[in-house]
Amino acid sequence: MATTEKPFDRAALEQLCTKRFFFAPAFAIYGGVAGFYDYGPTGCALMNNIISVWRNHFVLEEEMLELDTTIMNTYDVLKTSGHVDKFADWMCKDLKNGEIFRADHLVEAVLEARLQGDREARAAKEGAAAVDAAKQAGEAAKKDKKKKKKGTVVAVELPEEERKSYEEILAQIDNYGGPELAQLITKYNIRSPESGNELSMPQEFNLMFESQIGPTGQLKGFLRPETAQGQFLNFKKLLEFNNDKMPFASAQVGRAFRNEISPRSGLLRVREFTMAEIEHYVDPNNKDHPAFQDMKDVVITLLSKDVQMQGKTQTVEMSIGEAVEKKIIDNQTLGYFMARINEFLLKIGIKREKLRFRQHMDNEMAHYACDCWDAEIKTSYGWIECVGCADRSAYDLTVHSVRTKEKLVVREQLAEPRTVEQWQVEINKKTFGPKYKKNAKAIEEAILSYSDECFAALEKDLSTNGTSLVEADGQKFEVSKDDLTVKLGTVTEHVREYTPNVIEPSFGIGRILYSLLEHSWWVREDDEARNVLSFPALVAPFKVCVLPLSGNAEFEPLVKKYSRTLRQNGVSTRTDDSKTSIGRRYARNDELGIPYAITIDFQTVQDNTVTLRERDSTKQVRDTFEKIMQIIKETQ
């Protein structure tokens, strides 16, 4: 009989993370609040090292312009960006006890539980051993039941057609909106997982934390849900700083806030988190990247939207060059950053076979986006979105420009004048203001922010029907040909003026950190109590642990000397001079993910030699401290 892979023991990893204070629930002595975590010394060091690699890999290598903008955003900024109206998830409620669930996660959990029950029931036909093998896949999740509420697994065989339907639904779960989720809840009789009570129909819930600025409370604000808007608002200054050269990129690392409906799954779904975002500004008529040739042969794992829409999740291995050539990935710049993201994640220790890029389906993609891919990492929670890479077109700069009347554009001197077609709009001020009153300004701004395609549709409606619908401030208004005229005219240009498109890689640092913990954790075969975190030296919280063999006073000056020398050479250290045995101290520092240990003993006092132990292999070598330090520096 084929051996089955041992199920991942998430509870044991989380116990280790708490024991070694990588992270812990915030406000714990007051009972805690879901969705908030504090990072301890090891977690903080690990996160800072990940961010440091990110800065070197992107900001320094790509000559990006780094910013640090305010966490508080005003109502006007986020109203213009669309967050006030559209930054929402669908939630539903247990109709008896009032428990709240995020609708898509609930549907996903219940259907997955039913499929697991189906697997167990089918395995029962093949004997008790097969039943045990089938049940293994769900054991780790059951240990974690209190933290992530799932549907109860009951061994019931499903009709083949129903089983296939569940699999197809799960393959495209991110494509469903509120009405579709409501249909699924009704059709498949989905109820509250623990109580079995009926659920309310899904309702939208805005995810931003609202606040007031100043003592009067008249100026409304929000904690930022992303770092991007602060970068867009500073585009004009950034372009000037870059000597008006295109393309270029800005970058920012900082905290963001989302008032999650039901924060669960540890660090994967929290209400306060660290983001690292890049906004790469590019000519909309030329999205080629100057360094694309360097990345075109990088092979990544792709899950396209076409495959997902068929209810499947089969991935393909493909080079970035081929994917762009076949238009699976929309353009070179988007493809270039996907390859660079892939390199970054592998560099910090994410496993190649547990990394894929999933394309957004049409219904989950923002209305302004041209193409969007998520770098997803496989964990015990399933495939988790950790990096988004989107072509946001010119949406953000356009809407902020229209709202503020500040031109956020690039001006390019043309070698020869050219005649171009351009949509021209003329508002009839005599009728427009009196007709639409307080909504007139919003309607006018909405029309002026139209793309060429929207202007063409507006002109067609007015000439054919005499009227057209315009959406502004979440409402639809009917405008007529008496209110405005729209026509395509010609103008001669000496300077080309355009609004850049934006390619945005957006990194969830906390999610990446947790995924790295899972990918790095293992247990020594000879002793289940000996946990190891095999972080690459590049991101390990500490690079070296300095261990005196005992508490002998002769070792103390050497411990201080060697530790100081290592730190002066940029090697982070931790000294463990506790009275436990050297073996126990090795094991303790393996749990912290420290790649190397330097042991100082009585021979060190005599000849300045030390023992260097490597974490994963436990192999040891002995040499002078200076040579050992050189070995360590070369591995950083």
Side-chain angles (χ1 to χ4, degrees):
M1 182 182 293
T3 58
T4 57
E5 185 181 347
K6 189 176 180 181
F8 187 87
D9 193 348
R10 188 193 305 144
L13 174 61
E14 292 186 352
Q15 184 180 12
L16 172 62
C17 289
T18 302
K19 176 183 174 184
R20 297 304 175 202
F21 201 7
F22 278 89
F23 60 88
F27 326 117
I29 62 174
Y30 280 88
V33 177
F36 294 98
Y37 285 87
D38 294 330
Y39 289 89
T42 43
C44 191
L46 178 60
M47 176 177 285
N48 286 338
N49 290 340
I50 291 171
I51 292 172
S52 177
V53 175
W54 183 88
R55 277 200 173 97
N56 289 332
H57 188 81
F58 291 104
V59 179
L60 296 182
E61 286 189 31
E62 307 279 351
E63 293 187 86
M64 295 177 178
L65 309 179
E66 188 169 2
L67 296 170
D68 184 6
T69 65
T70 176
I71 285 173
M72 182 65 72
N73 278 187
T74 66
Y75 174 89
D76 286 347
V77 168
L78 294 172
K79 176 70 174 176
T80 302
S81 68
H83 286 83
V84 171
D85 297 321
K86 298 177 181 178
F87 194 69
D89 279 335
W90 293 94
M91 70 175 185
C92 54
K93 183 192 298 185
D94 184 312
L95 291 176
K96 289 188 178 179
N97 65 27
E99 187 174 9
I100 301 294
F101 303 92
R102 182 166 149 178
D104 58 335
H105 288 179
L106 176 64
V107 171
E108 184 177 20
V110 170
L111 296 190
E112 283 178 345
R114 292 180 185 178
L115 286 173
Q116 175 62 23
D118 174 72
R119 285 190 289 270
E120 291 181 11
R122 290 172 187 266
K125 295 179 179 180
E126 301 174 18
V131 174
D132 292 339
K135 284 184 177 179
Q136 277 189 346
E139 286 303 315
K142 290 177 184 176
K143 289 181 183 179
D144 197 49
K145 187 175 180 181
K146 290 183 180 179
K147 293 191 177 180
K148 186 177 182 183
K149 297 177 180 173
K150 295 195 169 208
T152 304
V153 176
V154 180
V156 176
E157 187 171 345
L158 299 170
E160 187 65 20
E161 186 176 336
E162 187 173 347
R163 183 180 66 82
K164 287 184 177 179
S165 294
Y166 288 176
E167 290 173 347
E168 290 175 1
I169 290 166
L170 291 173
Q172 51 184 313
I173 189 69
D174 293 316
N175 201 36
Y176 295 119
E180 293 85 2
L181 291 169
Q183 290 174 8
L184 293 174
I185 289 170
T186 302
K187 181 177 180 180
Y188 295 108
N189 192 29
I190 293 173
R191 292 171 174 258
S192 181
E194 292 192 347
S195 69
N197 297 330
E198 289 187 13
L199 299 163
S200 67
M201 288 296 99
Q203 296 178 322
E204 276 195 303
F205 173 74
N206 192 284
L207 299 176
M208 291 194 295
F209 282 101
E210 187 175 332
S211 184
Q212 285 78 40
I213 301 171
T216 66
Q218 294 180 354
L219 182 58
K220 188 188 291 187
F222 297 93
L223 295 178
R224 66 185 180 193
E226 61 180 16
T227 70
Q229 298 306 316
Q231 298 184 61
F232 298 139
L233 299 184
N234 283 288
F235 170 76
K236 196 172 181 179
K237 296 184 183 73
L238 289 167
L239 180 63
E240 182 180 350
F241 182 87
N242 204 49
N243 298 319
D244 294 325
K245 290 191 298 184
M246 287 284 291
F248 74 93
S250 61
Q252 182 169 195
V253 180
R255 290 293 177 121
F257 304 82
R258 298 182 184 181
N259 196 10
E260 292 286 351
I261 293 168
S262 52
R264 295 179 180 122
S265 308
L267 295 181
L268 300 182
R269 189 156 298 280
V270 293
R271 287 170 166 148
E272 179 182 354
F273 50 94
T274 299
M275 299 184 77
E277 290 192 297
I278 295 165
E279 310 301 334
H280 182 89
Y281 304 96
V282 63
D283 186 339
N285 294 340
N286 180 15
K287 293 185 180 180
D288 290 348
H289 194 283
F292 182 74
Q293 292 302 311
D294 299 336
M295 292 289 112
K296 69 180 179 65
D297 294 327
V298 173
V299 176
I300 63 175
T301 305
L302 299 175
L303 175 57
S304 70
K305 65 181 180 182
D306 293 337
V307 172
Q308 295 171 75
M309 291 304 294
Q310 295 170 22
K312 300 176 183 177
T313 56
Q314 285 90 344
T315 59
V316 294
E317 302 284 317
M318 188 178 293
S319 72
I320 287 293
E322 183 182 355
V324 171
E325 185 180 349
K326 291 181 175 179
K327 297 302 288 184
I328 296 172
I329 298 173
D330 187 71
N331 58 75
Q332 281 191 14
T333 298
L334 190 61
Y336 173 82
F337 276 108
M338 288 171 64
R340 293 284 287 155
I341 291 165
N342 186 77
E343 284 188 336
F344 164 72
L345 293 174
L346 297 181
K347 182 187 293 186
I348 65 170
I350 296 301
K351 292 183 177 178
R352 174 72 179 83
E353 68 275 14
K354 293 185 176 182
L355 173 62
R356 73 181 185 189
F357 286 81
R358 185 186 69 83
Q359 189 175 28
H360 280 209
M361 291 172 280
D362 292 339
N363 195 46
E364 63 175 316
M365 192 152 49
H367 64 279
Y368 50 79
C370 301
D371 194 10
C372 184
W373 293 79
D374 288 338
E376 295 185 332
I377 301 174
K378 183 73 174 293
T379 71
S380 61
Y381 290 100
W383 287 99
I384 303 300
E385 170 201 345
C386 292
V387 186
C389 193
D391 184 336
R392 296 177 68 126
S393 68
Y395 173 79
D396 297 279
L397 294 178
T398 300
V399 294
H400 287 306
S401 181
V402 170
R403 175 66 178 82
T404 62
K405 302 298 187 291
E406 186 77 40
K407 280 196 169 187
L408 303 177
V409 297
V410 175
R411 292 177 178 85
E412 178 186 290
Q413 188 70 41
L414 298 174
E416 297 288 339
R418 65 176 187 177
T419 302
V420 297
E421 290 187 327
Q422 195 174 84
W423 287 100
Q424 298 170 350
V425 180
E426 187 176 337
I427 303 289
N428 186 346
K429 299 291 185 182
K430 290 183 179 179
T431 63
F432 203 82
K435 181 176 180 179
Y436 299 107
K437 299 177 183 175
K438 65 179 183 179
N439 297 309
K441 184 178 179 181
I443 297 170
E444 182 176 351
E445 288 176 351
I447 293 170
L448 294 177
S449 67
Y450 273 8
S451 63
D452 287 348
E453 292 80 6
C454 292
F455 278 127
L458 176 61
E459 191 275 335
K460 183 178 179 182
D461 284 346
L462 292 177
S463 60
T464 305
N465 307 319
T467 61
S468 183
L469 291 177
V470 174
E471 186 173 345
D473 284 346
Q475 303 179 63
K476 290 186 177 180
F477 299 91
E478 185 178 82
V479 295
S480 72
K481 59 184 180 182
D482 296 328
D483 302 322
L484 73 163
T485 57
V486 181
K487 61 182 180 180
L488 194 60
T490 59
V491 294
T492 300
E493 288 186 340
H494 296 270
V495 175
R496 180 188 170 217
E497 187 175 277
Y498 66 88
T499 303
N501 281 19
V502 177
I503 309 295
E504 180 192 69
S506 178
F507 300 74
I509 301 298
R511 290 185 172 193
I512 293 171
L513 183 149
Y514 177 77
S515 301
L516 179 59
L517 283 166
E518 280 207 7
H519 289 200
S520 302
W521 177 63
W522 56 285
V523 178
R524 297 200 189 278
E525 290 183 6
D526 55 339
D527 187 352
E528 289 194 2
R530 295 190 67 181
N531 297 283
V532 184
L533 286 168
S534 293
F535 300 126
L538 193 65
V539 296
F542 308 97
K543 303 298 186 289
V544 175
C545 183
V546 179
L547 304 173
L549 186 64
S550 67
N552 191 296
E554 290 184 89
F555 299 152
E556 189 174 336
L558 294 172
V559 169
K560 290 181 178 179
K561 176 185 174 183
Y562 295 159
S563 296
R564 182 172 60 251
T565 303
L566 286 163
R567 290 194 297 269
Q568 288 173 344
N569 281 271
V571 180
S572 58
T573 66
R574 182 176 189 269
T575 301
D576 188 343
D577 55 3
S578 58
K579 295 180 180 180
T580 55
S581 70
I582 195 71
R584 284 184 178 274
R585 283 184 281 163
Y586 280 149
R588 181 160 57 206
N589 289 289
D590 288 347
E591 291 183 344
L592 293 171
I594 302 176
Y596 302 105
I598 290 178
T599 305
I600 299 168
D601 55 22
F602 291 103
Q603 188 178 340
T604 310
V605 178
Q606 302 297 324
D607 60 13
N608 194 42
T609 62
V610 295
T611 300
L612 178 69
R613 174 188 181 267
E614 196 275 328
R615 175 195 60 211
D616 295 348
S617 67
T618 71
K619 290 181 179 178
Q620 299 185 13
V621 296
R622 191 171 188 97
D623 211 326
T624 63
F625 172 75
E626 288 73 21
K627 288 184 178 179
I628 292 296
M629 186 176 71
Q630 189 60 37
I631 292 171
I632 292 169
K633 287 179 67 176
E634 288 172 358
T635 62
Q636 287 199 89

